[in-house]
């Protein structure tokens, strides 16, 4: 057999170990790993990855594409966001089918997103979302599961738009147990958010420069406690999105020690930005919920990121531009929240992990394995996305070649996310992708981006426990080992 592609002489990094090998690709899948001491197999194309690492293509478990929030709509579509994802080494994104209002059902919202995703350049999986319970929801969730949409997003805040009340949350958790699904939870205590925001408004402190004052750490941690109680009561697995405080992560760690099936996600911006950004020249660049936290909180969160307490890193990508952000920056209740980040997830997260681990030079194999777990393997496994997150024969040929020592400085206007800024503008970051292979196609190399067209597939997911029973969880290993 003459292969389609070989990535030769690289350090192949899986979360379970590393090896120097030639990665052989044929018909969109990994066909073989050949020891690097052996001759390079014949192929239509050979990419020399010597001196560089080869990671599984990134899996971003938390993206919002073409999102409508009140009267604001993000400026992207699947063509734009998937292109940006590939530029950033992410080859699979998970988006949300969130009902735009009471007139749209969870099933309709998800089916609409499947149609929109036909323009994607990378593979796409979906989460559903339930805002309000009624007697039709169980049947809708069954149909979603039949489509391969095996998780449901629940918002514990956002009164008047996407919030789900506790009765709805409890019933959906029961359905996730019945349907072998996973609950995605945005945990902020709504009553506290509303009260704190109203008090800030009464004091005339409601502009974007005061965002962090309207949502203190306790707001997040109180909601996590409440949801954990409901998860324990129902036995449902829960995935907490965008955890921004060490206290929230520690609650999950304690719950897991009691036997609960709970996961922590954080986002790159919570690892490298702190609440000082709200006194900067452009505080509107940093409008997101939860907000950035104090420097001390960020440092503690990074320590948990490095020690394995956090299980995935996702972008929470939302593509608004500065015109939209600035329209109501005088009132955080009115402006759109969310940051563009699908393209920068890899270098921001790698830089944060290396810094937190104190590895400022050539990274250890253990650090690279841990990064593969956070960036790709963990998101694929927890979300039960088949064929993703591992470099091994039979898996999809989604691969990233990168030099962990390479540094670049972020220039927001030079990125590809369909907006005019990046919250990381001006930051020097390590670990940018140099070659990206998606579905066996080289889409990024030294010559630039090669648009594959709308070839991305909607990827049905397995049941949560079904996948876990067949796919043991490799432990993150941080011990020093072979260095590249």
């Amino acid at each position: 057999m003459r292969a389609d592609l070989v990535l030769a002489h690289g350090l192949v990094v899986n979360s379970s170990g590393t090896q120097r090998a030639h990665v052989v690709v044929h018909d969109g899948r990994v066909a073989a790993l050949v020891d690097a001491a052996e001759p390079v197999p014949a192929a239509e194309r050979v990419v020399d990855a010597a001196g560089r690492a080869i990671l599984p293509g990134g899996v971003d478990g938390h993206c919002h594409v073409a999102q409508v929030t009140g009267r604001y709509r993000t400026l992207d579509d699947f063509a734009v966001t998937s292109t940006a994802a590939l530029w950033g080494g992410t080859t699979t994104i998970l988006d949300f089918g969130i009902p735009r209002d009471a007139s749209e059902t969870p099933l309709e919202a998800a089916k609409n997103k499947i149609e929109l995703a036909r323009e994607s350049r990378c593979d796409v999986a979906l989460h559903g979302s339930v805002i309000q319970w009624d007697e039709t929801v169980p049947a809708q969730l069954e149909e979603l599961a039949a489509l391969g949409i095996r998780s449901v997003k629940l918002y514990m805040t956002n009164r008047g738009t996407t919030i789900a009340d506790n009765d709805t949350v409890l019933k959906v958790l029961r359905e996730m147990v019945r349907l072998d699904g996973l609950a995605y939870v945005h945990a902020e205590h709504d009553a506290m958010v509303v009260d704190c925001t109203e008090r800030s408004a009464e004091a005339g402190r409601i502009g974007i420069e005061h965002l962090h004052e309207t949502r203190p750490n306790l707001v997040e941690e109180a909601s996590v406690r409440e949801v954990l109680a409901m998860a324990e009561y129902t036995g449902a697995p829960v995935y907490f999105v965008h955890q921004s405080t060490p206290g929230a992560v520690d609650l999950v760690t304690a719950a897991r020690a009691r036997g609960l099936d709970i996961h922590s996600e954080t986002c790159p911006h919570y690892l490298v930005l702190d609440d000082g950004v709200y006194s900067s020249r452009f505080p509107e660049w940093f409008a997101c919920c939860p907000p950035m936290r104090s420097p001390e909180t960020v440092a503690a969160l990074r320590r948990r990121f490095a020690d394995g307490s956090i299980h995935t890193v996702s972008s929470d990508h939302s593509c608004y531009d500065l015109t939209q952000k600035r329209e109501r920056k005088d009132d955080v209740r009115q402006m759109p929240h969310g940051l563009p980040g699908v393209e920068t997830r890899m270098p921001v997260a790698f830089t944060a992990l290396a810094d937190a681990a104190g590895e400022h030079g050539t990274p250890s194999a253990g650090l690279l394995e841990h990064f593969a777990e956070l960036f790709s393997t963990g998101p694929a496994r927890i979300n039960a996305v088949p064929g993703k997150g591992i470099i091994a024969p039979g898996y999809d040929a989604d691969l990233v070649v990168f030099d962990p020592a390479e540094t670049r400085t972020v220039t927001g206007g030079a990125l590809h996310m369909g907006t005019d800024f990046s919250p990381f503008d001006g930051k020097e970051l390590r670990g940018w992708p140099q070659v990206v292979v998606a579905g066996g196609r080289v889409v990024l190399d030294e010559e630039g981006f090669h648009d594959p067209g709308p070839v991305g597939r909607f990827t049905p997911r397995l049941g949560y426990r079904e996948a876990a029973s067949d796919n043991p969880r490799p432990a993150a290993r941080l011990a020093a080992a072979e260095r590249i």
Side-chain angles (χ1 to χ4, degrees):
M1 180 191 73
R2 185 177 179 86
D4 296 329
L5 173 69
V6 172
L7 302 182
H9 305 293
L11 181 69
V12 176
V13 180
N14 282 305
S15 65
S16 56
T18 63
Q19 65 181 111
R20 293 189 181 278
H22 312 306
V23 183
V24 182
V25 173
H26 194 70
D27 286 341
R29 295 183 183 274
V30 175
L33 298 180
V34 177
D35 189 278
E38 298 295 322
V40 177
E44 296 299 320
R45 179 176 179 182
V46 175
V47 174
D48 186 4
R52 296 181 287 177
I54 306 173
L55 290 175
V59 178
D60 192 337
H62 186 172
C63 286
H64 297 279
V65 185
Q67 172 179 276
V68 177
T69 303
R71 62 189 184 86
Y72 293 99
R73 183 198 182 280
T74 57
L75 300 178
D76 60 341
D77 56 25
F78 277 93
V80 169
T81 295
S82 61
T83 295
L86 293 171
W87 272 100
T90 289
T91 52
T92 303
I93 60 174
L94 280 78
D95 185 31
F96 297 83
I98 301 172
R100 61 181 178 270
D101 54 40
S103 69
E104 186 174 42
T105 68
L107 183 59
E108 289 168 342
K111 287 184 173 180
N112 287 339
K113 277 298 181 76
I114 292 174
E115 286 301 311
L116 292 174
R118 294 182 187 277
E119 294 299 312
S120 184
R121 272 60 178 161
C122 70
D123 289 348
V124 178
L126 280 180
H127 310 286
S129 181
V130 174
I131 296 171
Q132 185 172 357
W133 184 269
D134 63 45
E135 68 278 1
T136 71
V137 169
Q140 290 187 64
L141 294 179
E142 288 178 8
E143 190 166 347
L144 288 174
L147 290 170
I149 301 172
R150 307 299 292 261
S151 53
V152 171
K153 178 77 173 284
L154 296 162
Y155 287 87
M156 306 305 292
T157 190
N158 298 341
R159 189 176 301 188
T161 55
T162 56
I163 188 173
D165 62 30
N166 279 357
D167 288 341
T168 295
V169 171
L170 193 68
K171 290 173 181 176
V172 169
L173 292 180
R174 287 195 185 282
E175 290 299 301
M176 291 299 95
V177 174
R178 180 175 73 88
L179 297 172
D180 193 16
L182 174 66
Y184 257 54
V185 176
H186 175 137
E188 290 184 289
H189 194 285
D190 188 67
M192 290 185 187
V193 169
V194 170
D195 184 70
C196 194
T197 303
E198 288 177 348
R199 289 175 177 270
S200 293
E202 291 168 1
R205 300 172 63 85
I206 201 60
I208 181 58
E209 62 274 17
H210 302 292
L211 176 63
H212 57 301
E213 300 168 6
T214 68
R215 291 171 129 91
N217 294 15
L218 181 60
V219 163
E220 183 175 344
E221 293 161 15
S223 184
V224 170
R225 289 190 189 95
E226 185 174 38
V227 174
L228 285 174
M230 289 190 278
E232 188 165 11
Y233 179 68
T234 60
V238 170
Y239 177 110
F240 285 102
V241 300
H242 52 50
Q243 292 203 305
S244 68
T245 77
V249 174
D250 290 347
L251 288 166
V252 169
T253 300
R256 289 170 65 86
R258 299 198 308 274
L260 275 66
D261 211 352
I262 313 294
H263 306 280
S264 288
E265 167 200 280
T266 196
C267 302
H269 42 280
Y270 298 122
L271 297 168
V272 301
L273 302 174
D274 62 52
D275 59 13
V277 297
Y278 299 116
S279 58
S280 69
R281 182 180 177 191
F282 301 116
E284 65 274 13
W285 288 21
F286 309 100
C288 61
C289 297
M292 308 313 167
R293 304 300 188 183
S294 71
E296 296 77 16
T297 298
V298 173
L301 188 73
R302 275 202 302 267
R303 289 194 292 272
R304 284 151 179 82
F305 190 57
D307 71 15
S309 300
I310 293 170
H311 308 113
T312 70
V313 59
S314 300
S315 66
D316 194 7
H317 175 79
S318 294
C319 186
Y320 300 103
D321 72 358
L322 291 176
T323 297
Q324 293 171 305
K325 292 282 189 182
R326 288 169 175 160
E327 184 178 352
R328 290 308 310 272
K329 69 177 185 177
D330 63 308
D331 191 334
V332 297
R333 298 168 297 184
Q334 303 298 322
M335 71 184 301
H337 293 271
L339 304 178
V342 70
E343 187 173 350
T344 50
R345 181 175 70 109
M346 182 177 188
V348 179
F350 183 77
T351 300
L353 183 64
D355 288 350
E359 298 199 24
H360 303 293
T362 302
S364 66
L367 180 80
L368 293 172
E369 291 162 16
H370 190 189
F371 183 66
E373 171 71 12
L374 291 161
F375 179 68
S376 181
T377 311
R381 181 185 64 250
I382 294 167
N383 287 289
V385 186
K388 307 295 185 183
I390 296 174
I391 304 175
Y395 280 79
D396 290 350
D398 297 338
L399 307 160
V400 182
V401 178
F402 88 118
D403 178 355
E406 181 195 13
T407 61
R408 302 180 198 169
T409 299
V410 177
T411 303
L415 298 173
H416 308 87
M417 293 182 285
T419 185
D420 53 359
F421 79 105
S422 166
F424 309 111
D425 195 79
K427 287 196 172 292
E428 186 177 79
L429 303 173
R430 297 168 54 194
W432 295 80
Q434 297 178 342
V435 178
V436 177
V437 179
R441 304 175 185 87
V442 177
V443 295
L444 182 71
D445 59 17
E446 67 280 359
E447 295 179 358
F449 186 72
H450 308 284
D451 187 350
V455 297
R457 301 165 295 178
F458 170 70
T459 304
R461 292 154 57 201
L462 303 175
Y464 175 80
R465 291 191 171 89
E466 171 194 8
S469 65
D470 294 332
N471 191 2
R473 304 178 181 191
R477 299 190 297 172
L478 294 175
E482 179 185 7
R483 296 176 182 269
I484 65 170

PDB file of all heavy atoms in Angstrom, residues 187-202:
ATOM      1  N   ALA A 187     -22.559  27.245  35.694  1.00  0.00           N
ATOM      2  CA  ALA A 187     -22.880  27.391  37.108  1.00  0.00           C
ATOM      3  C   ALA A 187     -22.585  28.796  37.604  1.00  0.00           C
ATOM      4  O   ALA A 187     -21.436  29.149  37.870  1.00  0.00           O
ATOM      5  CB  ALA A 187     -22.108  26.357  37.923  1.00  0.00           C
ATOM      6  N   GLU A 188     -23.621  29.621  37.703  1.00  0.00           N
ATOM      7  CA  GLU A 188     -23.580  30.894  38.424  1.00  0.00           C
ATOM      8  C   GLU A 188     -24.932  31.044  39.105  1.00  0.00           C
ATOM      9  O   GLU A 188     -25.969  30.857  38.471  1.00  0.00           O
ATOM     10  CB  GLU A 188     -23.321  32.071  37.481  1.00  0.00           C
ATOM     11  CG  GLU A 188     -21.920  32.121  36.906  1.00  0.00           C
ATOM     12  CD  GLU A 188     -21.710  33.370  36.053  1.00  0.00           C
ATOM     13  OE1 GLU A 188     -22.303  33.429  34.944  1.00  0.00           O
ATOM     14  OE2 GLU A 188     -20.978  34.266  36.492  1.00  0.00           O
ATOM     15  N   HIS A 189     -24.925  31.367  40.378  1.00  0.00           N
ATOM     16  CA  HIS A 189     -26.153  31.418  41.175  1.00  0.00           C
ATOM     17  C   HIS A 189     -26.969  32.639  40.757  1.00  0.00           C
ATOM     18  O   HIS A 189     -26.574  33.781  41.031  1.00  0.00           O
ATOM     19  CB  HIS A 189     -25.798  31.471  42.657  1.00  0.00           C
ATOM     20  CG  HIS A 189     -26.949  31.206  43.559  1.00  0.00           C
ATOM     21  ND1 HIS A 189     -27.938  32.137  43.790  1.00  0.00           N
ATOM     22  CD2 HIS A 189     -27.269  30.101  44.287  1.00  0.00           C
ATOM     23  CE1 HIS A 189     -28.815  31.635  44.632  1.00  0.00           C
ATOM     24  NE2 HIS A 189     -28.441  30.400  44.950  1.00  0.00           N
ATOM     25  N   ASP A 190     -28.110  32.400  40.136  1.00  0.00           N
ATOM     26  CA  ASP A 190     -28.830  33.504  39.500  1.00  0.00           C
ATOM     27  C   ASP A 190     -29.313  34.549  40.492  1.00  0.00           C
ATOM     28  O   ASP A 190     -29.207  35.750  40.229  1.00  0.00           O
ATOM     29  CB  ASP A 190     -30.028  32.952  38.710  1.00  0.00           C
ATOM     30  CG  ASP A 190     -30.685  34.034  37.879  1.00  0.00           C
ATOM     31  OD1 ASP A 190     -30.039  34.522  36.925  1.00  0.00           O
ATOM     32  OD2 ASP A 190     -31.830  34.417  38.193  1.00  0.00           O
ATOM     33  N   ALA A 191     -29.866  34.128  41.618  1.00  0.00           N
ATOM     34  CA  ALA A 191     -30.375  35.117  42.586  1.00  0.00           C
ATOM     35  C   ALA A 191     -29.250  36.025  43.067  1.00  0.00           C
ATOM     36  O   ALA A 191     -29.433  37.239  43.218  1.00  0.00           O
ATOM     37  CB  ALA A 191     -31.045  34.410  43.754  1.00  0.00           C
ATOM     38  N   MET A 192     -28.081  35.458  43.294  1.00  0.00           N
ATOM     39  CA  MET A 192     -26.939  36.271  43.713  1.00  0.00           C
ATOM     40  C   MET A 192     -26.482  37.192  42.594  1.00  0.00           C
ATOM     41  O   MET A 192     -26.139  38.357  42.834  1.00  0.00           O
ATOM     42  CB  MET A 192     -25.781  35.373  44.152  1.00  0.00           C
ATOM     43  CG  MET A 192     -26.014  34.619  45.444  1.00  0.00           C
ATOM     44  SD  MET A 192     -24.510  33.722  45.908  1.00  0.00           S
ATOM     45  CE  MET A 192     -25.112  32.789  47.312  1.00  0.00           C
ATOM     46  N   VAL A 193     -26.444  36.689  41.360  1.00  0.00           N
ATOM     47  CA  VAL A 193     -26.058  37.516  40.225  1.00  0.00           C
ATOM     48  C   VAL A 193     -26.991  38.711  40.102  1.00  0.00           C
ATOM     49  O   VAL A 193     -26.553  39.869  39.963  1.00  0.00           O
ATOM     50  CB  VAL A 193     -26.067  36.705  38.914  1.00  0.00           C
ATOM     51  CG1 VAL A 193     -25.932  37.631  37.706  1.00  0.00           C
ATOM     52  CG2 VAL A 193     -24.948  35.677  38.914  1.00  0.00           C
ATOM     53  N   VAL A 194     -28.290  38.449  40.161  1.00  0.00           N
ATOM     54  CA  VAL A 194     -29.270  39.529  40.009  1.00  0.00           C
ATOM     55  C   VAL A 194     -29.141  40.542  41.135  1.00  0.00           C
ATOM     56  O   VAL A 194     -29.112  41.762  40.906  1.00  0.00           O
ATOM     57  CB  VAL A 194     -30.696  38.948  39.949  1.00  0.00           C
ATOM     58  CG1 VAL A 194     -31.730  40.070  40.031  1.00  0.00           C
ATOM     59  CG2 VAL A 194     -30.882  38.147  38.658  1.00  0.00           C
ATOM     60  N   ASP A 195     -29.048  40.068  42.373  1.00  0.00           N
ATOM     61  CA  ASP A 195     -28.958  40.988  43.510  1.00  0.00           C
ATOM     62  C   ASP A 195     -27.681  41.817  43.446  1.00  0.00           C
ATOM     63  O   ASP A 195     -27.704  43.046  43.647  1.00  0.00           O
ATOM     64  CB  ASP A 195     -29.007  40.198  44.816  1.00  0.00           C
ATOM     65  CG  ASP A 195     -29.012  41.107  46.028  1.00  0.00           C
ATOM     66  OD1 ASP A 195     -30.031  41.794  46.249  1.00  0.00           O
ATOM     67  OD2 ASP A 195     -27.989  41.150  46.744  1.00  0.00           O
ATOM     68  N   CYS A 196     -26.559  41.159  43.161  1.00  0.00           N
ATOM     69  CA  CYS A 196     -25.282  41.870  43.119  1.00  0.00           C
ATOM     70  C   CYS A 196     -25.271  42.892  41.991  1.00  0.00           C
ATOM     71  O   CYS A 196     -24.779  44.021  42.158  1.00  0.00           O
ATOM     72  CB  CYS A 196     -24.150  40.865  42.942  1.00  0.00           C
ATOM     73  SG  CYS A 196     -22.518  41.534  43.264  1.00  0.00           S
ATOM     74  N   THR A 197     -25.850  42.524  40.849  1.00  0.00           N
ATOM     75  CA  THR A 197     -25.895  43.438  39.707  1.00  0.00           C
ATOM     76  C   THR A 197     -26.788  44.635  40.003  1.00  0.00           C
ATOM     77  O   THR A 197     -26.452  45.785  39.676  1.00  0.00           O
ATOM     78  CB  THR A 197     -26.374  42.693  38.452  1.00  0.00           C
ATOM     79  OG1 THR A 197     -25.507  41.570  38.209  1.00  0.00           O
ATOM     80  CG2 THR A 197     -26.343  43.595  37.235  1.00  0.00           C
ATOM     81  N   GLU A 198     -27.933  44.393  40.631  1.00  0.00           N
ATOM     82  CA  GLU A 198     -28.831  45.494  40.988  1.00  0.00           C
ATOM     83  C   GLU A 198     -28.162  46.451  41.967  1.00  0.00           C
ATOM     84  O   GLU A 198     -28.293  47.675  41.846  1.00  0.00           O
ATOM     85  CB  GLU A 198     -30.128  44.936  41.569  1.00  0.00           C
ATOM     86  CG  GLU A 198     -31.020  44.265  40.522  1.00  0.00           C
ATOM     87  CD  GLU A 198     -32.269  43.659  41.136  1.00  0.00           C
ATOM     88  OE1 GLU A 198     -32.334  43.558  42.391  1.00  0.00           O
ATOM     89  OE2 GLU A 198     -33.178  43.264  40.366  1.00  0.00           O
ATOM     90  N   ARG A 199     -27.444  45.909  42.940  1.00  0.00           N
ATOM     91  CA  ARG A 199     -26.744  46.766  43.902  1.00  0.00           C
ATOM     92  C   ARG A 199     -25.661  47.591  43.218  1.00  0.00           C
ATOM     93  O   ARG A 199     -25.456  48.765  43.542  1.00  0.00           O
ATOM     94  CB  ARG A 199     -26.141  45.906  45.020  1.00  0.00           C
ATOM     95  CG  ARG A 199     -27.190  45.325  45.972  1.00  0.00           C
ATOM     96  CD  ARG A 199     -26.539  44.374  46.979  1.00  0.00           C
ATOM     97  NE  ARG A 199     -27.518  43.869  47.920  1.00  0.00           N
ATOM     98  CZ  ARG A 199     -27.826  44.443  49.077  1.00  0.00           C
ATOM     99  NH1 ARG A 199     -27.222  45.573  49.426  1.00  0.00           N
ATOM    100  NH2 ARG A 199     -28.730  43.920  49.882  1.00  0.00           N
ATOM    101  N   SER A 200     -24.974  46.986  42.278  1.00  0.00           N
ATOM    102  CA  SER A 200     -23.953  47.730  41.536  1.00  0.00           C
ATOM    103  C   SER A 200     -24.593  48.849  40.720  1.00  0.00           C
ATOM    104  O   SER A 200     -24.052  49.965  40.642  1.00  0.00           O
ATOM    105  CB  SER A 200     -23.184  46.777  40.615  1.00  0.00           C
ATOM    106  OG  SER A 200     -22.415  45.861  41.368  1.00  0.00           O
ATOM    107  N   ALA A 201     -25.738  48.541  40.109  1.00  0.00           N
ATOM    108  CA  ALA A 201     -26.424  49.562  39.314  1.00  0.00           C
ATOM    109  C   ALA A 201     -26.872  50.721  40.195  1.00  0.00           C
ATOM    110  O   ALA A 201     -26.737  51.900  39.818  1.00  0.00           O
ATOM    111  CB  ALA A 201     -27.610  48.941  38.581  1.00  0.00           C
ATOM    112  N   GLU A 202     -27.411  50.410  41.372  1.00  0.00           N
ATOM    113  CA  GLU A 202     -27.852  51.462  42.290  1.00  0.00           C
ATOM    114  C   GLU A 202     -26.692  52.348  42.720  1.00  0.00           C
ATOM    115  O   GLU A 202     -26.867  53.549  42.974  1.00  0.00           O
ATOM    116  CB  GLU A 202     -28.514  50.835  43.515  1.00  0.00           C
ATOM    117  CG  GLU A 202     -29.862  50.177  43.210  1.00  0.00           C
ATOM    118  CD  GLU A 202     -30.353  49.307  44.358  1.00  0.00           C
ATOM    119  OE1 GLU A 202     -29.635  49.236  45.391  1.00  0.00           O
ATOM    120  OE2 GLU A 202     -31.430  48.697  44.219  1.00  0.00           O
TER     121      GLU A 202
END
